[in-house]
Amino acid sequence: MCGTDEYGTATETKAMEEGLTPREICDKYHAIHKDIYEWFDIDFDQFGRTSTPQQTEIAQAIFMTLYEKKRLNENTMTQPYCTTCNRFLADRLVEGTCPTPGCGYEDARGDQCDKCGKLLNAEDLINPRCKVCRNPPEKRDTDHLFLDLPGLNDQLEAYISSTSKVGGWSSNSIQQTNAWIRDGLKERCITRDLKWGVPVPLEKYKEKVFYVWFDAPIGYISITANYTAEWEKWWKSPKDVELVQFMGKDNVPFHTVIFPCTLLGTEEPWTLMKTISVTEYLNYESGKFSKSRGVGVFGNDVKTTNIPVEVWRYYLLTNRPEVSDTLFTWVDLQAKQNNELLKNLGNFIHRTLSFLAKPAGEGGYGKVIPEVGNPEEHELTQKFATEIGGAVAEYISSMEAVKLKGGLKAAMKVSSLGNLYLQESQFWKLYKQDPPACAIVVKTSVGVVHLLATLLEPFMPSFSQKILAQLNLPISTMSLVEEDGDLERASKPWNLVQSGHTIGNPEPIFAEMKDEEMESYRAKFAGSQADRAAAALETLSVSNTNKAAAEKDTKAKKGGKAAASGKKTPAVVKDLPVDVSRLDIRVGLITDVKKHPDADSLYVEQIDVGEPTPRTVVSGLVKFIPIEKMQNRKVCVLCNLKPAAMRGIKSQAMVLAASNADHTEVELVSPPEGAQVGERVTFPGFPGEPDDVLNPKKKIWETVQPDLHTSAELVAQYKDVPFTTSSGICKVESIASGGIK
């Protein structure tokens, strides 16, 4: 269940920007959101709105219960008031100059500066002004109602102590909640001087609304059913309902402190949240997603790409920031589509089904699942089944604990095991050499294809539907219920699809994303949505002018002096740009490492960089990285520095490492696990071949190196562009904003 949270300052502000009423703006964006979710195959039993009459009735009933039980206190606040607009101004309706030293952004909002990111209060702004009329506001007193959080502290702590353990709350939600309690709960203002919201059901406050900590969560109550006694059935003392909530980390205190206190304060038997799954931030390329500034790629943008919905869902879920911030990059999306979906999952499924679909006289089974003997007597198949059973157990454990990334990883492990099983069985040889064994391998593999459709259905429902169509099986065959024996059957995959069944037509599900396609998306979604819209309009308006000018220029050149004389104009030889494209950085594998015989601080490594013989590299890493952590690991290696002797041993390359500001900590830059030894590390937007050897006199390395660094998300970068391999981006373990050399 979900819905659109429609009340508040942001809605009023957006309505003013677009010249609409708050109701009109909510109607518009509710339809947009609903359409996006439908495109994403996000399926709701109910998708509602907080602005319904049912919402108002429920919220006001809770409000009055709290008021009657004296859980609401009255206090006076001083707020900015616009005498031109005749209204109190919420923080978002006040703009001014950011007071943060070194920032000075002139369009900072009263709640946050979009340039430096610092959280602000409206009174902190320099030269504040009304967002609507641009005139400076004055300060006025206004009465408001506050929820008595301190008076509910004991009940809240008892709830958190028991529920956080039973519900397996994520560590980030527990940390934030404990911080609120540790710092001492304070009364929370729940009313606002706005027109758009749930009206306060008291005569004195009839011009105000109560806001946020009632309307958003209660909105989810109101969408469960039409308000009568039906909502009480769902939300008051049900024996068979567990409430699980998903949200970003900035919303945690509202759902673990403020709203539980709201319900506890009524002393009524509400169903309180049991489990909360909290995500950190998903950042975009070199910065942060920002709804207010339109930076990033958003739901309405996604629909304009040629990337299938199952790829989007897979990438976002495998990159879900469950423990720490993660990074969206187009290069990483490309790598996951090509390597994990196409070469792993897609390869196993298509290889299995296309072999089965071959005519019987051409090395296949004519789409019919073969009869088999006893698979449990086939050693390789029995080993495979045991591994599959273990992966399914991991999947169940992760999903029950709401560890979605872990569940997806376990499902993809099944696919990896399937590919290994096919390869080790050499089924294409068994078809003639040992037909009974081949039949076992094929029937077992088809069962695993069906199992994958089941495991991945929550993550990629459209993918599962395509697989079922190719298997010629109904959706009702997908089940993973322990009480029905499904888990036991999953550990015997040869039983999942019956002999004699005829499959449909196998077709590849995933396609390769080419470099040029990835680069086009990266360029298309650079900047903000406003910038992109303006650029599109400008391109459209000047395209014909540019075309005409180009034609005119071409004609002029044809009649020019050089053409008249018949002489060729000599080509101008330009110096190559001094940027990261000049560096030959490759993925290397340390095959051997020893301490330098004549220097205590140096290692001598043998590193495979994809050449016939390993390179000898001398690195000053002894006091930073233990020798056992150097052995047999992939690293990023700069291969076109001029060789240099270090204490009598010539170093033929340099291992790249990051260090903190005072150089007391050093970590190796690590390529992703699937990166190929010897492949070149690239930097999107910086094409070109590297120099054979960097000329020391031209100071190319010295010029480029200061722009090599790690980001706040631990991504190795040149300026704002990540170190990129065919399998994704390169990172460090823990040093953020460090230099690389």
Side-chain angles (χ1 to χ4, degrees):
M1 290 176 284
C2 193
T4 46
D5 179 11
E6 300 185 353
Y7 286 138
T9 308
T11 301
E12 289 195 357
T13 304
K14 189 69 174 175
M16 286 187 290
E17 290 175 357
E18 298 195 17
L20 300 172
T21 66
R23 167 59 65 189
E24 289 171 337
I25 204 78
C26 289
D27 289 345
K28 173 184 174 179
Y29 282 98
H30 176 81
I32 290 173
H33 286 197
K34 195 169 185 295
D35 181 58
I36 290 170
Y37 297 146
E38 287 175 355
W39 186 89
F40 263 103
D41 286 338
I42 299 174
D43 185 33
F44 300 103
D45 290 303
Q46 179 69 35
F47 185 78
R49 313 173 63 166
T50 59
S51 60
T52 62
Q54 296 93 339
Q55 147 78 14
T56 298
E57 190 167 356
I58 299 167
Q60 288 183 337
I62 293 177
F63 179 97
M64 289 307 300
T65 301
L66 291 170
Y67 184 76
E68 291 163 1
K69 292 185 178 295
K70 302 192 183 306
R71 294 296 188 183
L72 302 180
N73 300 324
E74 187 176 32
N75 280 306
T76 301
M77 300 174 64
T78 301
Q79 289 184 248
Y81 185 89
C82 180
T83 55
T84 304
C85 299
N86 294 317
R87 63 185 294 180
F88 283 99
L89 301 179
D91 288 344
R92 290 191 180 201
L93 289 177
V94 183
E95 293 181 341
T97 302
C98 179
T100 306
C103 181
Y105 183 51
E106 295 183 354
D107 292 319
R109 299 194 312 268
D111 59 346
Q112 185 174 8
C113 175
D114 278 339
K115 182 179 179 182
C116 69
K118 186 174 178 63
L119 298 178
L120 302 171
N121 293 311
E123 60 265 25
D124 297 332
L125 294 175
I126 301 169
N127 299 322
R129 61 185 182 273
C130 172
K131 179 181 176 69
V132 179
C133 68
R134 318 300 287 175
N135 291 319
E138 65 182 32
K139 294 182 179 179
R140 288 191 183 182
D141 289 343
T142 176
D143 292 338
H144 283 285
L145 291 169
F146 292 71
L147 179 63
D148 182 17
L149 293 180
L152 294 161
N153 186 82
D154 291 345
Q155 296 97 307
L156 178 68
E157 286 199 28
Y159 158 69
I160 292 171
S161 177
S162 62
T163 308
S164 62
K165 295 175 183 176
V166 175
W169 289 13
S170 56
S171 58
N172 44 9
S173 63
I174 293 174
Q175 290 167 3
Q176 288 197 55
T177 303
N178 288 342
W180 267 60
I181 295 175
R182 184 181 62 248
D183 296 340
L185 295 178
K186 300 175 179 60
E187 291 187 340
R188 192 79 183 184
C189 182
I190 63 169
T191 52
R192 292 289 185 272
D193 289 294
L194 297 173
K195 300 296 183 185
W196 182 244
V198 179
V200 177
L202 297 172
E203 181 63 26
K204 178 180 177 180
Y205 292 94
K206 64 182 180 181
E207 298 299 321
K208 300 180 188 288
V209 300
F210 58 97
Y211 175 53
V212 177
W213 305 289
F214 289 145
D215 68 7
I218 293 292
Y220 306 141
I221 292 176
S222 68
I223 64 178
T224 61
N226 290 326
Y227 175 64
T228 51
E230 188 71 12
W231 61 272
E232 291 197 19
K233 182 186 80 173
W234 280 93
W235 292 91
K236 284 192 175 181
S237 300
K239 302 296 184 184
D240 56 350
V241 172
E242 291 184 356
L243 177 56
V244 181
Q245 295 184 355
F246 297 81
M247 68 197 63
K249 65 180 178 182
D250 47 350
N251 283 325
V252 167
F254 306 124
H255 293 260
T256 63
V257 176
I258 299 174
F259 191 55
C261 281
T262 302
L263 298 181
L264 290 168
T266 67
E267 301 176 21
E268 294 176 346
W270 293 96
T271 295
L272 296 173
M273 176 189 68
K274 178 182 178 182
T275 300
I276 181 171
S277 178
V278 176
T279 54
E280 302 291 315
Y281 292 133
L282 174 66
N283 295 316
Y284 182 71
E285 292 284 342
S286 59
K288 293 183 180 294
F289 275 95
S290 172
K291 285 193 295 184
S292 60
R293 289 180 290 137
V295 174
V297 55
F298 297 91
N300 52 328
D301 297 323
V302 163
K303 294 172 62 177
T304 67
T305 69
N306 292 321
I307 302 172
V309 63
E310 54 262 30
V311 175
W312 278 110
R313 287 180 60 107
Y314 177 81
Y315 180 70
L316 293 172
L317 287 163
T318 195
N319 213 19
R320 187 173 186 255
E322 293 181 356
V323 178
S324 60
D325 291 356
T326 59
L327 186 66
F328 176 106
T329 70
W330 289 101
V331 170
D332 191 38
L333 187 150
Q334 177 195 28
K336 284 184 167 56
Q337 177 173 337
N338 292 349
N339 296 322
E340 297 177 18
L341 292 178
L342 175 62
K343 296 179 182 178
N344 177 5
L345 181 62
N347 178 68
F348 171 70
I349 292 169
H350 192 62
R351 199 177 182 191
T352 298
L353 299 186
S354 60
F355 184 82
L356 176 67
K358 286 182 182 180
E362 299 177 18
Y365 296 88
K367 298 185 180 180
V368 179
I369 308 295
E371 297 287 344
V372 299
N374 186 359
E376 296 187 34
E377 295 179 357
H378 188 256
E379 184 177 349
L380 180 63
T381 298
Q382 186 55 46
K383 173 177 172 289
F384 176 53
T386 301
E387 293 171 333
I388 292 295
V392 171
E394 290 177 27
Y395 175 91
I396 294 293
S397 176
S398 294
M399 297 297 278
E400 289 290 348
V402 202
K403 306 295 184 185
L404 303 187
K405 282 177 71 173
L408 182 53
K409 184 178 180 180
M412 293 299 288
K413 181 180 178 181
V414 171
S415 177
S416 298
L417 290 169
N419 278 309
L420 184 61
Y421 174 63
L422 289 180
Q423 202 61 28
E424 289 183 347
S425 72
Q426 297 189 321
F427 63 96
W428 60 95
K429 294 182 179 179
L430 293 178
Y431 186 79
K432 290 185 177 180
Q433 297 175 0
D434 191 348
C438 186
I440 288 173
V441 171
V442 169
K443 188 172 189 291
T444 300
S445 298
V446 172
V448 173
V449 169
H450 184 271
L451 176 62
L452 282 167
T454 303
L455 298 176
L456 290 169
E457 196 274 340
F459 301 95
M460 298 185 288
S462 58
F463 158 83
S464 296
Q465 290 167 7
K466 292 174 184 177
I467 294 303
L468 288 178
Q470 294 187 28
L471 289 172
N472 190 27
L473 289 170
I475 194 170
S476 59
T477 61
M478 289 197 303
S479 177
L480 204 61
V481 180
E482 186 172 8
E483 291 80 1
D484 294 344
D486 294 332
L487 300 189
E488 183 179 354
R489 278 192 290 275
S491 63
K492 296 180 179 180
W494 51 82
N495 288 333
L496 294 178
V497 182
Q498 297 305 307
S499 296
H501 174 74
T502 301
I503 68 167
N505 296 318
E507 294 180 358
I509 293 177
F510 302 107
E512 182 181 9
M513 181 186 286
K514 303 291 186 181
D515 289 346
E516 53 269 24
E517 183 183 0
M518 180 273 296
E519 288 289 0
S520 71
Y521 292 134
R522 195 168 187 270
K524 179 179 180 180
F525 296 108
S528 69
Q529 288 178 314
D531 293 338
R532 299 195 289 265
L537 286 173
E538 183 178 354
T539 300
L540 184 64
S541 64
V542 303
S543 59
N544 290 334
T545 304
N546 287 345
K547 182 178 180 181
E551 291 175 351
K552 183 178 179 181
D553 186 55
T554 300
K555 291 178 181 178
K557 288 181 178 179
K558 286 182 178 179
K561 185 176 180 180
S565 65
K567 295 180 180 179
K568 293 183 178 179
T569 303
V572 177
V573 180
K574 296 182 179 180
D575 288 336
L576 293 172
V578 180
D579 59 37
V580 74
S581 67
R582 306 282 292 274
L583 307 186
D584 183 10
I585 302 176
R586 301 185 212 167
V587 175
L589 176 67
I590 300 175
T591 59
D592 185 60
V593 59
K594 298 175 182 176
K595 286 189 175 181
H596 195 296
D598 298 319
D600 293 339
S601 63
L602 301 178
Y603 285 129
V604 180
E605 304 114 18
Q606 298 298 314
I607 304 181
D608 180 359
V609 292
E611 297 171 340
T613 59
R615 291 199 186 194
T616 299
V617 180
V618 181
S619 305
L621 299 171
V622 170
K623 63 180 181 180
F624 300 108
I625 304 174
I627 194 167
E628 59 271 15
K629 289 193 175 182
M630 296 285 290
Q631 298 277 10
N632 298 315
R633 69 175 293 172
K634 290 179 181 176
V635 289
C636 290
V637 185
L638 179 59
C639 293
N640 61 342
L641 284 176
K642 186 177 180 180
M646 299 180 70
R647 292 293 186 95
I649 297 178
K650 184 171 284 188
S651 183
Q652 300 170 321
M654 182 169 71
V655 176
L656 295 181
S659 62
N660 60 359
D662 57 7
H663 304 291
T664 56
E665 297 179 17
V666 175
E667 295 174 354
L668 294 172
V669 176
S670 298
E673 185 177 343
Q676 299 299 307
V677 172
E679 73 167 288
R680 188 183 175 200
V681 176
T682 58
F683 299 82
F686 293 91
E689 293 300 313
D691 295 16
D692 290 335
V693 178
L694 296 176
N695 188 336
K697 293 182 180 180
K698 293 189 176 181
K699 304 287 185 183
I700 295 171
W701 167 245
E702 291 79 2
T703 303
V704 173
Q705 186 276 322
D707 288 321
L708 301 178
H709 63 94
T710 60
S711 69
E713 294 77 34
L714 309 180
V715 176
Q717 296 181 327
Y718 168 68
K719 296 184 177 178
D720 63 346
V721 179
F723 284 49
T724 304
T725 73
S726 62
S727 292
I729 56 180
C730 305
K731 304 184 74 171
V732 296
E733 189 173 331
S734 64
I735 297 176
S737 304
I740 294 176
K741 60 182 181 179

